[in-house]
Amino acid sequence: MVERRKPIKVNEAINRVMEYAVPGNVHHVPLDKSYGQFLGQGLVADHPVPPFDRSPYDGFAVRSLDTEEAASTNPVTFEVIGEIGAGSVFDGNVGSFQAVRIMTGAQIPDDCDAVIMFESVKEFEEDGKPFIQIKRRLKTGDNISFTGEDTEQGEVLAKKGTPINPGITALLATFGYKQVPVARKPKVGIIATGSELLEVDEPVQPGKIRNSNAYMVQAQVERAGAEPVYFGQFSDEFETCLQQVKEAMDEVDILLTTGGVSVGDYDYLPAIYESLSADVLFNKVGMRPGSVTTVAAKDGKLLFGLSGNPSACYVGFELFTRPVIRTMLYSPLPFQKEETAVLGADFPKPNPFDRFVRGRLTYEDGRLVATPSGLDKSNVVSSLAEANVLIVLPGGTRGYERGMEVSVLLLEDQEGSSNALFHQHEQESRTHG
Amino acid sequence: MVERRKPIKVNEAINRVMEYAVPGNVHHVPLDKSYGQFLGQGLVADHPVPPFDRSPYDGFAVRSLDTEEAASTNPVTFEVIGEIGAGSVFDGNVGSFQAVRIMTGAQIPDDCDAVIMFESVKEFEEDGKPFIQIKRRLKTGDNISFTGEDTEQGEVLAKKGTPINPGITALLATFGYKQVPVARKPKVGIIATGSELLEVDEPVQPGKIRNSNAYMVQAQVERAGAEPVYFGQFSDEFETCLQQVKEAMDEVDILLTTGGVSVGDYDYLPAIYESLSADVLFNKVGMRPGSVTTVAAKDGKLLFGLSGNPSACYVGFELFTRPVIRTMLYSPLPFQKEETAVLGADFPKPNPFDRFVRGRLTYEDGRLVATPSGLDKSNVVSSLAEANVLIVLPGGTRGYERGMEVSVLLLEDQEGSSNALFHQHEQESRTHG
């Protein structure tokens, strides 16, 4: 009755899933709808920045050679022959000891090679004409922002797959991207299973709990950058539910189920995979929580059978589903960023399995410290709320002590990394068959 | 002609702005639309978790006293008298040496006080009846998740103003929040000024640049958690533009303008504040970039006059506007999280003003390292793209060296802090009048 499953290592499981991870499609969205999405093409400068030599300040443009003798004891007088507002161009000539009033961002007149700020000159009038006095020597190029000194034309300023932050938005605007090519958000279907599940608006009943996983996973899908499509709860009747899975799969790029993957009698996901002739990539992973996470592929489409246990469901999504989504979004860094942190609590009990403990990362005097959030029980919903990392504790024969260095996976980081690095710690881990 | 302005210190400027920062309103949104928003009320547990004593595993529920003699050399036999699927309740009695098959999450029968996992027993049949053999002693409570061990009824699990992450979503679902009270997103109006500005879809022209600030700030507004409303570019004609500001102010909670706040002749924001009889809180701050940032208040509503310079605009928003938005979203932590990092580059030149340098935070062996992104010129758009921190360099008579400890403000962090802490570094800073 109890099916014996052979657990595989976490990294092996990730590798098997990633073989099915392929880039998605590009479409265009208006610039002001693009924040938070992922660039579908590299961002290219269509012109140099600055596009012309310009003034970084409000001031006066002059020829620097005319200031050669200027000093605090020897003010040199310039006639102000015109002015240039930002956006306009001075079309006259500027001669010896002549100056042009210039506003921030305006183009430097051809004859000039330096700018002096308003605050540094004395202005006066004589015979109704404006003049300034300069009391220090300027060098050629002083207070000029030169063409292309920031960015050259044709330069790729952000790669395909970069998440669009406010700085990228500024670049997109600067280089004329009224419409932005972004990765189309993958549609990720979600089906909840479990006869113990109540809907969120139902009153609590003996023996039953409200369905939290489906909503939690929807939020995780959004955080990963995809679009959740919730199909509701499974039927308790096998044929109906098989039909539901088939219909859902036609509508989405990835299908997630929560619950129904244990070896219990009521868990019929395994039978559904079989009826679909789906290829089961694995159905047991040497990790805690989430050991029953099952992933299957059907016609190149992935079905993630996440555990019905909230923490196991959470971890299963972050380790296995998120990198697939990020790959579809063109990210060259589909995995969670992994950093080294000091462990903030003891884990005295050795565990043969690799553990992913929900934790809270804090900074203490510039060092990263990771502390488990709440009790480390896989059914503790509340500990998920404050978790911003998963603390990686490779399985082995020894426990872990406060103060030891451990790896943490950053849950709120948007940048990611190119590798599921934590295999480096697996030398000392063991998984039990 | 040149108005002399008296700069105030950054923290004094923030304090003046924060006097006008008031909490916003609450409204309800469906649970599946609430991710990323801010809780408008504390999240309260409407029942204990677990709501009943339940099994964390698939297994058999028994009376522990019956296992007293069990050992690997002395298997004890139990009759399996029924089974409980998750969500159903066992309504019979369980007597001596009887067991009930129980699924993960199901309620423990009243007579039982321990669970043993499937994998730990031997199952067999005799005379058509199911039996199990147990080879080890169980203690009362073994493998039982007890009522309320995670969460007690009435407990506040997340405070008002907490951003909704996937873990919070799980809690909201668990406790019946089909509709979630969230802080209404403040409407933040944006008006761009500057006769040098081209629209994003216009070709580049001599002397002109495309309007990037308005779009950048829209993304910053979204990142801060508010709703941007872009009103387009100002008229060049004073009366029209005054009218535009008045109309915009009626529609939004906060109004931002970009550009037009310098002391240049074309910068008529100061005249607009005067015509509105708005109270100018400050119009010069002892900081770089962003020294011309101007904030005014009219009938309790804030008008942020951000610089037309991209970096100054960016910094002005993050330092002054963001904490106001976060306060409206009820966050008790409206300021950017500030951490200590090791400086990754030299800043040899002393500067009398507090500087906020766009930087990139990386982790090296568990330590934070902050390196300036791109050249530190205030007009360098591209350096904004990869910035994830502002490096705080208090003004003073000395420069900064690689390896020194500095404060950094985390730009992508959603958590925040309760204080604009960087005043602690201001002892050694000086601002020039």
Side-chain angles (χ1 to χ4, degrees), chain B residues 34 60 73 79 106 120 134 145 191 194 205 216 226 235 285 321 341 352 354 358 367 369 371 388 411 419 429:
Chain B
S34 67
F60 293 92
T73 54
E79 186 189 357
S120 306
I134 296 182
S145 299
I191 293 176
Q205 292 168 29
M216 177 183 76
S235 164
V285 188
T321 316
D354 295 345
R358 296 160 306 291
R367 290 199 84 83
V369 178
T371 312
N388 56 12
L411 293 165
N419 288 94
S429 82

Side-chain angles (χ1 to χ4, degrees), chain A residues 306-333:
Chain A
L306 302 175
S307 169
N309 169 308
S311 296
C313 179
Y314 188 95
V315 170
F317 177 91
E318 296 297 333
L319 291 186
F320 303 117
T321 316
R322 182 187 183 278
V324 174
I325 291 172
R326 286 287 163 99
T327 301
M328 294 187 78
L329 293 169
Y330 300 113
S331 176
L333 311 168

